[in-house]
């Protein structure tokens, strides 16, 4: 008896599969980011009406976020890791010699460190390594601080957020001016480690000029004396070249 063969299932063309995989990954990441933000707002005790306003405001900013991501994807490719080996070594800045085996810069007091990375990784490692050497830690980020090896009472998490004129920010959320005020207040209580990885968010909410001025103020504050430290992380691919150079000049040590 002859067996009837079933027709083979149609397969997507390689190009279609590649496109769909990239689209699905981006779609999933967008869902995760949106749900994370919603969770943060919900955990702050907002009412249903307040959540509705926050979500509508966030949806209205989606075109700006998409344009920012588009510029990031179209930016020139990053240099390969072995490329610096082909160049003669340049004189190191004071206190910027790499620590043995760690791949991180050496710490020195009263310095602002800028880690240029697509996602905060080395900056987090550096902050974790130095947290116990400071009286307090101010963690400025949209994400909560990881384990830092110090008492929770020494760590303060501040989430940057936009506030309208006349409105009071929710607990734990502050605009650049409020963040600066907390830094000055906590700095009077002993050495302070300030961690910041929300520069891209601040730039989206408040504009490039205010964000760069805030970064410059932060470096001047920590360099005015004492044993405090500033650790910042930024994806430079999101910045035009003039703004990138200006941001670099604000910090004492680049990593």
């Amino acid at each position: 008896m002859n067996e009837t063969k079933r027709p083979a299932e149609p397969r997507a063309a390689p190009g279609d599969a590649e496109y769909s995989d990239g689209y699905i990954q981006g779609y999933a990441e967008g869902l995760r980011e949106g749900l994370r933000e919603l969770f943060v707002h919900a955990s702050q005790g907002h009412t249903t009406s307040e959540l509705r306003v926050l979500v509508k405001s966030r949806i209205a900013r989606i075109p700006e976020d998409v344009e920012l991501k588009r510029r990031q994807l179209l930016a020139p490719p990053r240099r390969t890791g072995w490329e610096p080996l082909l160049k003669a070594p340049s004189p190191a800045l004071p206190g910027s010699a790499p620590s043995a085996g760690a791949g991180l810069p050496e710490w020195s007091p009263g310095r602002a460190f800028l880690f240029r990375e697509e996602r905060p990784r080395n900056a987090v490692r550096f902050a974790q390594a130095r947290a116990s050497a400071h009286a307090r830690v101010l963690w400025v980020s949209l994400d909560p601080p990881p384990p830092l090896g110090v008492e929770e009472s020494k760590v303060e998490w501040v989430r940057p957020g936009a506030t309208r004129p006349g409105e009071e920010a929710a607990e734990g959320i502050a605009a650049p001016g409020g963040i600066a005020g907390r830094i000055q207040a906590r700095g009077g209580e002993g050495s302070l480690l300030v961690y910041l990885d929300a520069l891209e968010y601040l730039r989206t909410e408040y504009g490039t000029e205010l964000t760069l001025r805030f970064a410059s103020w932060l470096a001047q504050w920590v360099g005015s004396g004492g044993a405090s430290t500033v650790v910042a992380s930024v994806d430079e691919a999101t910045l035009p070249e003039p703004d990138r150079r200006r941001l670099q000049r604000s910090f004492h040590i680049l990593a």
Side-chain angles (χ1 to χ4, degrees), residues 113-201:
F113 297 79
L114 179 64
F115 288 81
R116 297 162 293 175
E117 48 192 355
E118 186 175 353
R119 290 185 179 276
R121 290 189 179 91
N122 288 333
V124 173
R125 290 173 51 214
F126 189 73
Q128 287 176 313
R130 299 308 313 174
S132 59
H134 295 77
R136 295 186 65 86
V137 177
L138 190 66
W139 195 268
V140 184
S141 173
L142 296 175
D143 298 316
L148 297 173
V150 299
E151 299 176 4
E152 290 185 6
S153 59
K154 293 178 57 176
V155 182
E156 182 178 0
W157 176 27
V158 178
R159 285 151 289 182
T163 56
R164 297 176 181 176
E167 286 188 354
E168 197 171 312
E171 183 178 358
I173 296 182
I179 297 172
R182 295 195 189 198
I183 290 173
Q184 290 178 316
R186 301 298 180 262
E189 301 171 1
S191 63
L192 178 66
L193 171 64
V194 179
Y195 172 85
L196 170 66
D197 68 9
L199 286 169
E200 292 92 344
Y201 175 82

Side-chain angles (χ1 to χ4, degrees), residues 2 16 20 44 52 62 114 138 145-146 151 196 198 200 219 233 251:
N2 295 332
D16 294 340
S20 62
Q44 295 163 6
R52 187 180 297 111
I62 287 178
L114 179 64
L138 190 66
E151 299 176 4
L196 170 66
E200 292 92 344
S233 175
F251 286 80

Side-chain angles (χ1 to χ4, degrees), residues 78 93 95-96 103-108 110-124 126-127 193-200 211-212 214-216 218-219 222 229-239 241-255:
R78 295 174 178 272
L93 295 172
S96 62
L104 300 176
E106 291 286 353
W107 175 81
S108 55
R111 292 291 183 267
F113 297 79
L114 179 64
F115 288 81
R116 297 162 293 175
E117 48 192 355
E118 186 175 353
R119 290 185 179 276
R121 290 189 179 91
N122 288 333
V124 173
F126 189 73
L193 171 64
V194 179
Y195 172 85
L196 170 66
D197 68 9
L199 286 169
E200 292 92 344
T211 301
L212 294 178
F214 174 69
S216 178
L218 196 56
V222 75
T229 304
V230 169
V231 180
S233 175
V234 67
D235 181 4
E236 289 191 326
T238 63
L239 297 172
E241 183 62 28
D243 298 332
R244 188 182 311 171
R245 291 197 299 266
R246 185 177 168 187
L247 180 64
Q248 291 177 358
R249 287 196 297 267
S250 297
F251 286 80
H252 303 109
I253 298 175
L254 305 178

Side-chain angles (χ1 to χ4, degrees), residues 13-68:
D16 294 340
E18 182 179 356
Y19 171 81
S20 62
D21 288 345
Y23 177 86
I24 291 301
Q25 290 176 9
Y27 180 72
E29 181 59 30
L31 286 177
R32 281 193 292 266
E33 181 179 350
L35 290 173
R36 278 197 298 263
E37 290 190 18
L38 183 59
F39 175 78
V40 169
H41 290 314
S43 64
Q44 295 163 6
H46 288 294
T47 65
T48 304
S49 298
E50 291 172 336
L51 285 174
R52 187 180 297 111
V53 172
L54 289 170
V55 170
K56 286 184 177 180
S57 175
R58 186 66 182 84
I59 292 175
R61 296 199 311 270
I62 287 178
E64 299 176 9
D65 295 341
V66 170
E67 177 61 21
L68 182 64

